[in-house]
Amino acid sequence: MNISQIVEQTLTQLLTNFWYIPVLMVLLAIIKTNWWKGIWGEFQVNMMLKRLPKTEYHCLKNITLPTADGTTQIDHIVVSQFGIFVIETKNIKGWIFGNANQAMWTQQIYRHRNQFQNPLRQNYKHTQTLAQLLELPNDVIFSVIVFIGDSTFKTTMPDNVTYASACLSYIRAQTEQVLTLEQVAQITTAIADKRLAANIKTHMQHVKHVKTIKAAKLEPSLQPVPPIKIKQQQDIEQKEPVVTMSKTDMAPQCPQCGASMVLRTAKRGSNAGNQFWGCSNYPKCKKMMAIN
């Protein structure tokens, strides 16, 4: 028996007895991809949302909606008499720094830092797309951000930026009925009718659209990120400038919690009779913005 025959027999035995090793290696490679992390994070949120009473909350997942410039993809939508909750999932680990006003947030793992888009701003497009398609007011739609994974918030986050099952507490905390049962049924049906088909073609078209947007601008992650300390980040948060909006602007998003702002009129004090933007989450959120 020559060497080539010995090698052939050895490899045959290995493949016969340890066939699962190459399969495990492929699975491990897949698990480390961002694609899998996104799917796994959305799966965990989906399982958590099933704990909501089905008679009161109607959950939809992986919804791709048409927009003027392409498509937008929403992880989960929960429709109830207490509002429509648009949920964005982030499967990220490490320390998380950011606040409602910042365009970019920072993820830090030991000495490695990476910037990613403020998920509140990302989800704002989702809420506005839904409001326009369904012709609904902004104050019945709530933006919810759910972090999944081994992550820790190192700056104070708005109430609607949650970790894991805390999103259920935020949803249940909205107890004011803003929609009738008939409206809930109509909205659920309308979303099902207006969503694009949940197939590979729709997904690939959306991925292509996202890549086109990213290619049109410089990737923030390519820019150098200076070291961030917790106290430094808190100082930045405290020094955020006062935001002003004019009456002609669309109802803005609350920079504190991400909910829609509503136009209100001061009833007493030196500003009695003057209008201002107030958060629709009042009294939980008391953020106000002046009108130019």
Side-chain angles (χ1 to χ4, degrees):
M1 182 179 294
N2 56 34
I3 296 178
S4 62
Q5 290 176 325
I6 295 174
V7 171
E8 183 178 349
Q9 287 183 1
T10 303
L11 289 175
T12 301
Q13 290 177 355
L14 286 173
L15 291 175
T16 302
N17 298 326
F18 302 99
W19 59 268
Y20 54 86
I21 293 180
V23 176
L24 287 175
M25 292 177 67
V26 172
L27 289 176
L28 287 173
I30 293 175
I31 289 173
K32 291 182 178 181
T33 63
N34 290 331
W35 171 80
W36 172 258
K37 290 178 182 178
I39 289 180
W40 178 241
E42 291 172 21
F43 171 77
Q44 292 180 78
V45 173
N46 189 51
M47 296 304 293
M48 285 188 295
L49 293 177
K50 287 185 177 182
R51 290 154 57 182
L52 293 170
K54 292 183 179 180
T55 55
E56 297 180 39
Y57 300 90
H58 303 269
C59 303
L60 302 99
K61 62 179 180 179
N62 192 25
I63 305 100
T64 304
L65 298 174
T67 62
D69 60 348
T71 58
T72 190
Q73 197 171 65
I74 303 174
D75 295 337
H76 292 89
I77 299 175
V78 178
V79 185
S80 74
Q81 286 185 278
F82 311 108
I84 303 171
F85 302 90
V86 179
I87 302 173
E88 172 67 22
T89 304
K90 291 296 178 187
N91 190 356
I92 298 177
K93 63 180 181 179
W95 288 355
I96 307 299
F97 299 88
N99 62 47
N101 289 335
Q102 292 176 315
M104 304 300 295
W105 286 9
T106 300
Q107 170 198 32
Q108 182 168 338
I109 303 175
Y110 298 106
R111 294 187 178 183
H112 177 72
R113 291 171 298 277
N114 179 54
Q115 286 192 325
F116 60 98
Q117 184 184 14
N118 180 342
L120 286 170
R121 296 194 176 194
Q122 180 182 357
N123 213 29
Y124 180 70
K125 181 178 181 180
H126 298 161
T127 59
Q128 293 304 298
T129 298
L130 200 61
Q132 292 170 9
L133 284 177
L134 301 178
E135 298 181 352
L136 290 170
N138 290 319
D139 56 2
V140 303
I141 300 178
F142 298 89
S143 173
V144 185
I145 310 300
V146 184
F147 277 80
I148 295 292
D150 187 18
S151 58
T152 303
F153 298 146
K154 286 297 181 179
T155 49
T156 302
M157 294 292 177
D159 291 341
N160 62 333
V161 178
T162 67
Y163 182 80
S165 59
C167 70
L168 299 180
S169 299
Y170 176 80
I171 292 173
R172 291 183 180 125
Q174 313 308 318
T175 56
E176 180 183 355
Q177 292 188 2
V178 294
L179 297 170
T180 65
L181 287 174
E182 183 180 0
Q183 287 175 314
V184 169
Q186 291 174 347
I187 291 169
T188 305
T189 301
I191 294 174
D193 291 340
K194 294 179 182 295
R195 69 185 297 179
L196 301 180
N199 53 34
I200 295 296
K201 182 180 179 181
T202 298
H203 176 72
M204 296 305 295
Q205 288 176 341
H206 177 69
V207 170
K208 182 179 179 181
H209 172 61
V210 173
K211 287 182 178 179
T212 301
I213 294 175
K214 288 184 177 181
K217 57 185 179 180
L218 179 65
E219 286 286 356
S221 59
L222 298 179
Q223 300 175 2
V225 183
I228 293 183
K229 297 180 180 179
I230 297 177
K231 185 178 184 304
Q232 176 187 355
Q233 187 70 22
Q234 291 173 339
D235 290 342
I236 293 173
E237 182 178 353
Q238 293 172 357
K239 294 178 182 178
E240 289 291 342
V242 175
V243 180
T244 59
M245 298 289 295
S246 66
K247 292 183 182 180
T248 57
D249 289 331
M250 180 184 290
Q253 187 178 24
C254 177
Q256 183 71 28
C257 70
S260 299
M261 305 291 279
V262 294
L263 201 60
R264 294 199 170 108
T265 303
K267 296 181 180 180
R268 54 180 176 269
S270 58
N271 292 318
N274 294 334
Q275 289 186 313
F276 64 93
W277 291 109
C279 182
S280 59
N281 267 345
Y282 181 87
K284 289 196 65 175
C285 177
K286 299 181 180 180
K287 184 67 177 179
M288 295 181 293
M289 297 196 304
I291 298 177
N292 282 337

